[in-house]
Amino acid sequence: MRALLGILICLCAQSALAETRYVSDNIYIFMHGGPGTQYRILGSVKAGEALEVKGGQAGFTQVVDERGREGWIKSDELQSEPSLKVRVPQLEQELQTLKDRLQNLNGDNEQRFAEKDGKIAEQDSLLTNLKGQLDNQSEELASVKAQNDALNSSIDNREHDMQMDWFIRGGVMVGGGILLGILLPLLPRRRKQSERWMN
């Protein structure tokens, strides 16, 4: 009973220590029935194949392949990461995916740049139109200002002419009043009837 319990504990410990190793980049390697080349060959495994590690001793590792065969392989023919034979297609696939993404991004960027170029051209056209309108309004403003100056000058001239007219009229009236004041005493006076009777 104790022996059975010990075996179960060992098996549990081995399964707890189970890890994955990969066949190195040789074309294939042999799997032996025990930890050494003197044991019979059980078969071969291809480069890049994933193997489950059960244990190891004397430079050999006990493994289980993808078909469930259990055997021993030289430890230096195993590596902890997938072989180049497996990784290269994955890397090529990742590279192609990245290229596709980059091409999509480039296409999106070109479309965005084209849209921005169109908006910039539209804004340039609008700015040119606004500058033209501003120039026209500046010319109209200059024309209106010239007309306003001419009207102000005309009003000033009229006010001056009116003042001169009033000055002349006032002068004529004053002159007429003075002349009348001089002439009135010189005019003969009419005698009253009472004075006539007395004579």
Side-chain angles (χ1 to χ4, degrees):
M1 184 74 169
R2 286 184 182 178
L4 183 60
L5 187 59
I7 292 172
L8 286 174
I9 290 173
C10 288
L11 288 175
C12 290
Q14 282 185 349
S15 63
L17 293 174
E19 57 181 305
T20 302
R21 293 292 173 132
Y22 299 88
V23 176
S24 59
D25 287 327
N26 296 325
I27 295 175
Y28 62 88
I29 58 174
F30 294 113
M31 182 186 291
H32 297 275
T37 54
Q38 69 273 20
Y39 292 94
R40 73 182 179 92
I41 296 174
L42 301 177
S44 63
V45 288
K46 294 181 289 184
E49 186 175 339
L51 303 173
E52 182 184 347
V53 174
K54 293 289 188 178
Q57 67 180 40
F60 279 79
T61 303
Q62 187 179 15
V63 296
V64 177
D65 68 3
E66 295 173 346
R67 291 177 283 178
R69 296 181 304 174
E70 187 172 333
W72 295 80
I73 291 178
K74 286 183 179 180
S75 298
D76 58 4
E77 293 179 340
L78 297 174
Q79 57 191 36
S80 58
E81 58 184 24
S83 68
L84 292 176
K85 185 178 179 181
V86 173
R87 283 187 292 161
V88 166
Q90 293 174 349
L91 293 174
E92 287 176 349
Q93 180 64 38
E94 290 176 11
L95 180 62
Q96 187 60 44
T97 302
L98 291 174
K99 283 182 179 178
D100 293 342
R101 286 181 61 190
L102 183 61
Q103 188 172 2
N104 290 338
L105 288 174
N106 287 338
D108 292 343
N109 287 337
E110 287 176 4
Q111 183 178 358
R112 288 176 187 166
F113 287 145
E115 290 174 359
K116 286 182 180 178
D117 289 342
K119 288 181 180 178
I120 289 172
E122 183 180 345
Q123 290 175 352
D124 285 343
S125 175
L126 181 61
L127 185 61
T128 303
N129 290 337
L130 289 175
K131 283 182 178 178
Q133 291 177 7
L134 182 61
D135 292 340
N136 291 338
Q137 289 177 353
S138 297
E139 291 175 3
E140 290 177 5
L141 181 62
S143 175
V144 169
K145 188 176 180 183
Q147 292 176 4
N148 189 32
D149 292 341
L151 288 174
N152 284 334
S153 177
S154 175
I155 289 171
D156 291 341
N157 290 337
R158 281 190 182 182
E159 286 180 354
H160 183 264
D161 291 344
M162 286 176 65
Q163 287 175 355
M164 288 299 293
D165 187 46
W166 281 105
F167 181 74
I168 291 169
R169 285 184 185 182
V172 168
M173 290 180 72
V174 168
I178 291 173
L179 186 61
L180 191 61
I182 293 173
L183 293 177
L184 275 178
L186 296 178
L187 288 176
R189 284 197 225 172
R190 290 175 96 191
R191 292 184 183 179
K192 294 183 182 176
Q193 283 184 349
S194 59
E195 290 178 359
R196 275 190 232 163
W197 287 340
M198 290 178 73
N199 288 335

